[in-house]
Amino acid sequence: MPSGKEIRTKIKSVQNTQKITKAMEMVAASKMRKAQERMRTARPYAEKLRNVAAHMSHAHPEYPHPFLVRRESVKRAGLIVVTSDKGLCGGLNINVLRMAFNQIKTWRALDCDSQGCVPSGEQQIDVDVCAIGNKGLGFMQRMSANVVSQVTGLGDTPHIERLIGPVKLMLDAYMEGRIDSLAICYTKFVNTMRQEPVIEQLLPLHGEQLGSAPGRWDYIYEPDAKEIVDDLMVRYIETLIYQGVAENMASEQSARMVAMKAATENAGNVIDELKLVYNKTRQASITKELSEIVAGAAAV
């Protein structure tokens, strides 16, 4: 049984940890409110732009943009993986990376077990990865994925200027035919206690996948159809990726607040158990000393 001094030292250590997790919980709660407000503010714009793009996919424009043209076959796919830069947020990153890994495994037609991954014999699709967030970048590098672009250190506020560069590499690859489809994997914010990892296809753009029923849509473009459609399609992709990053940041702060609250409560339970052990140890020590005194007195 440990001595009373060792138990007191451990209690002090757990109390210090509890103070840290409590402070992190309060900081995450403050950042969570700002992240949720930012995410909810961006949702209407992204939804409206999504509807316009969906309607355009059913229209017969003067200029057919490559983003709206379906490819006959997919030989190489692009995947944008959005994770956080820091940990201590529960299973947030694990869930989204597991979904991304399963999607890559499906594309590569791999059979994986505890011994590793081997080709299954089906048609394989090569994958290019754009990693947004340090956790996703490290995971993709460990699994030897082809990371063609990356961005880390976004902080607590996403800036579209930081995202344009890595995303443009993927869009250029699609325009040049080096990849035939593009998807994004991120954590969607549902509420404070619930966040869901999702994979959404960005390119090629189909109105059906966005919930738009086929119909007759037409637009009048001024001054030039090519210029307007080009700008609109690029803005559409950038907006969806920005929205995905904003959703992921709101999910991150919510998950971190919940995780730190649970850690604080668990630390309190550990402290109570250690105090009980300390009291038992102290009582046993006092009983032993009294027994020795009584035995000594009886011997005299």
Side-chain angles (χ1 to χ4, degrees):
M1 183 178 291
S3 63
K5 182 178 180 181
E6 293 175 347
I7 298 176
R8 288 197 304 271
T9 302
K10 192 167 185 179
I11 290 175
K12 186 65 175 178
S13 176
V14 177
Q15 286 175 340
N16 292 336
T17 302
Q18 186 182 39
K19 292 178 182 178
I20 295 173
T21 55
K22 183 63 177 178
M24 293 180 67
E25 175 191 349
M26 297 174 66
V27 171
S30 175
K31 292 181 178 180
M32 178 189 69
R33 287 189 288 269
K34 297 178 181 178
Q36 290 180 5
E37 181 180 357
R38 186 186 309 111
M39 175 265 303
R40 291 193 177 99
T41 302
R43 271 183 176 178
Y45 177 80
E47 187 64 27
K48 185 64 178 179
L49 194 58
R50 186 191 298 265
N51 292 337
V52 173
H55 296 161
M56 187 173 293
S57 69
H58 294 308
H60 302 283
E62 305 170 17
Y63 163 64
H65 195 276
F67 289 178
L68 303 175
V69 179
R70 302 188 182 189
R71 306 282 174 89
E72 294 182 0
S73 62
V74 178
K75 298 180 180 179
R76 194 174 193 90
L79 180 63
I80 301 174
V81 181
V82 183
T83 57
S84 66
D85 287 316
K86 302 177 182 178
L88 298 178
C89 49
L92 181 81
N93 292 318
I94 295 175
N95 294 332
V96 71
L97 289 175
R98 181 185 294 114
M99 176 172 286
F101 174 76
N102 290 335
Q103 183 62 58
I104 293 175
K105 185 176 67 173
T106 301
W107 279 334
R108 289 180 174 177
L110 298 178
D111 289 331
C112 298
D113 54 24
S114 59
Q115 304 299 323
C117 297
V118 296
S120 64
E122 301 178 5
Q123 182 181 2
Q124 297 186 27
I125 299 175
D126 295 326
V127 184
D128 291 341
V129 176
C130 171
I132 300 178
N134 190 51
K135 294 297 182 180
L137 175 60
F139 177 83
M140 291 299 165
Q141 289 176 339
R142 287 192 297 272
M143 66 175 293
S144 301
N146 184 29
V147 181
V148 297
S149 61
Q150 63 187 48
V151 56
T152 59
L154 291 176
D156 298 323
T157 304
H159 297 283
I160 190 65
E161 296 82 4
R162 296 283 309 279
L163 301 173
I164 287 177
V167 171
K168 189 176 185 301
L169 291 176
M170 304 297 286
L171 298 183
D172 290 344
Y174 185 87
M175 293 286 289
E176 296 169 3
R178 289 185 278 117
I179 60 175
D180 302 306
S181 69
L182 180 63
I184 182 172
C185 183
Y186 66 96
T187 303
K188 184 177 182 180
F189 178 85
V190 180
N191 53 51
T192 303
M193 302 299 296
R194 182 183 173 193
Q195 303 86 34
E196 295 181 350
V198 295
I199 291 182
E200 296 180 355
Q201 181 177 334
L202 299 177
L203 299 175
L205 176 63
H206 305 312
E208 292 84 356
Q209 75 187 31
L210 300 178
S212 174
R216 297 183 60 85
W217 294 90
D218 200 4
Y219 294 92
I220 299 175
Y221 304 97
E222 292 291 346
D224 179 62
K226 183 178 185 304
E227 181 179 355
I228 293 177
V229 174
D230 284 345
D231 291 343
L232 179 62
M233 289 296 99
V234 173
R235 181 62 62 87
Y236 161 75
I237 297 298
E238 292 176 352
T239 300
L240 290 190
I241 293 175
Y242 177 86
Q243 180 66 26
V245 174
E247 297 262 357
N248 195 83
M249 286 187 173
S251 300
E252 174 190 356
Q253 299 302 336
S254 299
R256 181 170 289 117
M257 185 196 71
V258 173
M260 292 300 101
K261 182 178 180 181
T264 302
E265 294 175 352
N266 290 337
N269 295 334
V270 172
I271 291 173
D272 293 339
E273 293 176 1
L274 288 174
K275 286 182 178 180
L276 181 61
V277 174
Y278 173 75
N279 291 333
K280 289 182 178 180
T281 302
R282 184 168 175 269
Q283 183 179 11
S285 176
I286 294 174
T287 303
K288 181 180 178 181
E289 291 177 0
L290 289 175
S291 299
E292 292 175 352
I293 293 173
V294 172
V300 173

